[in-house]
Amino acid sequence: MARWDDYESDFSPLMRLRRSKGFTREQACVMLGCSLSAMIRYERGRVPVPFLLQKRMSRLYEVSIADLFAVLDETYAGIGHSYTDANTDVVEVEI
């Protein structure tokens, strides 16, 4: 049986990143500690990814925060927005 993930194949850069690392949406949600509906909204560029979740995504997907932001910007660009403009809660933090 085909899964919804299969129909959205290459629409979202964030989805492509997750899939390139071999995770299903459900697996990523469990590992990141977010709901499936939230992940769908993030991957479709409907809502900004919270900062702490960005850090978890960066670690899980093995990419730098800067690279993740590039993916998020590309995801938002697909719907005519800029991720960095939409995500006004981003704060530089030394970790």
Side-chain angles (χ1 to χ4, degrees), residues 34 38-39 41-42 47-58 65 68-69 72 76 83 87 89-91:
C34 70
M39 180 63 81
R41 289 191 304 267
Y42 302 144
V47 295
V49 179
F51 179 72
L52 292 176
L53 193 56
Q54 292 171 18
K55 251 190 105 36
R56 290 183 202 146
M57 282 182 175
S58 170
I65 290 287
L68 180 63
F69 257 66
L72 294 171
Y76 266 58
Y83 184 78
N87 193 7
D89 294 335
V90 174
V91 178

Side-chain angles (χ1 to χ4, degrees), residues 61-81:
Y61 300 153
E62 299 174 334
V63 296
S64 69
I65 290 287
D67 288 343
L68 180 63
F69 257 66
V71 168
L72 294 171
D73 254 343
E74 193 178 337
T75 298
Y76 266 58
I79 59 166
H81 299 302

